[in-house]
Amino acid sequence: MSDITNIKESRVEPLYQLVYISRITSTGMSGSSTLNDIAETSIKNNQMKGITGIVCYGNGYFFQYVEGSEQALTNLKNTLLMDDRHKDMQLLDFSEIDVRRFSSWSLRSIVLERWMVKDAKAKALLPFKPFNWADNEWQQFLAVLHRYYEEQKDAGDMDAQPIKYSALGVTLGKVVGEHQAFFLIQTVLGILIVLTLLWLVLSDKFL
């Protein structure tokens, strides 16, 4: 399959990579299709600007890797800084590279928990908390993403958003799943408290 960009990289305009992490905001979580919007808009814009890459969401965090010309990535970075769907943007790397890692994806948007547990090396990075990573762990994670990309490319995966999902639904679903027992106990205690108060009120009336 030919690369979607059809760009011949030249030494006149070096190829760069931009890597960052950030936290989702309440605005991002409340959007019913935040991740879909990011992917669909970025695919269109990135195709025109020669940008390729991947954005990952998990556990309330974003990890994004994109590649393209220095000017295109600088403009993208400035745009991302103004995006109210995320906050605390931390730049991990902005440097020159030799080749593209995700040349067939203008921007693939994925939810990590949907597939990371299948990768043995990725399990060491769970739960996904990129702000707690050591200096070189983002490179290990990038290697995991690149393996995933190669698998999808070999399977003939095209430059499109494969899954529709809600950032809010994914986040709350994960939280509820991890703390199901806690919520159950709190619910039972709440019911008991209400019943006790009701019993006390009724008791006073009949005494």
Side-chain angles (χ1 to χ4, degrees), residues 143-161:
V144 171
L145 295 180
H146 189 249
R147 287 198 300 273
Y148 172 73
Y149 163 77
E150 290 294 340
E151 292 172 0
Q152 298 301 305
K153 185 179 179 181
D154 290 343
D157 199 0
M158 303 299 289
D159 186 41
Q161 185 60 14

Side-chain angles (χ1 to χ4, degrees), residues 65-114:
Y65 171 93
V66 284
E67 52 208 9
S69 70
E70 182 179 14
Q71 186 60 58
L73 295 187
T74 297
N75 294 340
L76 175 60
K77 177 172 65 69
N78 292 336
T79 299
L80 290 169
L81 287 170
M82 302 297 293
D83 194 329
D84 63 358
R85 292 172 296 188
H86 71 159
K87 62 181 180 179
D88 302 332
M89 181 175 167
Q90 180 178 321
L91 189 65
L92 299 179
D93 191 67
F94 194 154
S95 62
E96 187 174 349
I97 56 176
D98 294 326
V99 296
R100 293 178 185 266
R101 289 184 173 91
F102 301 94
S103 58
S104 293
W105 286 347
S106 294
L107 190 76
R108 173 58 56 89
S109 176
I110 61 173
V111 175
L112 300 176
E113 286 79 2
R114 293 180 181 273

Side-chain angles (χ1 to χ4, degrees), residues 1-205:
M1 182 177 67
S2 60
D3 292 343
I4 54 164
T5 54
N6 290 322
I7 297 172
K8 293 182 179 179
E9 314 296 358
S10 68
R11 294 305 167 187
V12 176
E13 189 174 24
L15 183 65
Y16 276 74
Q17 64 182 10
L18 167 65
V19 191
Y20 76 88
I21 54 177
S22 61
R23 293 181 171 90
I24 195 169
T25 62
S26 57
T27 300
M29 290 180 64
S30 62
S32 61
S33 59
T34 294
L35 299 179
N36 304 318
D37 293 342
I38 291 173
E40 292 173 2
T41 302
S42 297
I43 286 174
K44 180 180 179 180
N45 293 336
N46 290 354
Q47 285 177 342
M48 294 187 296
K49 298 172 182 176
I51 297 174
T52 51
I54 185 169
V55 59
C56 309
Y57 173 80
N59 198 32
Y61 300 98
F62 289 108
F63 174 97
Q64 184 165 7
Y65 171 93
V66 284
E67 52 208 9
S69 70
E70 182 179 14
Q71 186 60 58
L73 295 187
T74 297
N75 294 340
L76 175 60
K77 177 172 65 69
N78 292 336
T79 299
L80 290 169
L81 287 170
M82 302 297 293
D83 194 329
D84 63 358
R85 292 172 296 188
H86 71 159
K87 62 181 180 179
D88 302 332
M89 181 175 167
Q90 180 178 321
L91 189 65
L92 299 179
D93 191 67
F94 194 154
S95 62
E96 187 174 349
I97 56 176
D98 294 326
V99 296
R100 293 178 185 266
R101 289 184 173 91
F102 301 94
S103 58
S104 293
W105 286 347
S106 294
L107 190 76
R108 173 58 56 89
S109 176
I110 61 173
V111 175
L112 300 176
E113 286 79 2
R114 293 180 181 273
W115 60 272
M116 276 187 71
V117 292
K118 299 178 182 179
D119 191 298
K121 292 186 178 180
K123 288 182 180 180
L125 299 173
L126 293 177
F128 185 63
K129 295 182 178 181
F131 280 84
N132 295 338
W133 284 349
D135 291 342
N136 66 335
E137 284 190 305
W138 73 265
Q139 295 172 331
Q140 298 175 27
F141 181 66
L142 183 59
V144 171
L145 295 180
H146 189 249
R147 287 198 300 273
Y148 172 73
Y149 163 77
E150 290 294 340
E151 292 172 0
Q152 298 301 305
K153 185 179 179 181
D154 290 343
D157 199 0
M158 303 299 289
D159 186 41
Q161 185 60 14
I163 303 173
K164 299 294 182 181
Y165 36 57
S166 164
L168 178 61
V170 170
T171 300
L172 292 184
K174 183 177 186 298
V175 171
V176 171
E178 290 181 347
H179 302 283
Q180 189 173 22
F182 172 79
F183 287 128
L184 179 60
I185 292 172
Q186 293 299 310
T187 300
V188 172
L189 289 175
I191 293 173
L192 290 176
I193 291 172
V194 171
L195 291 175
T196 301
L197 293 174
L198 182 61
W199 179 79
L200 290 173
V201 171
L202 292 177
S203 297
D204 290 339
K205 286 186 177 181

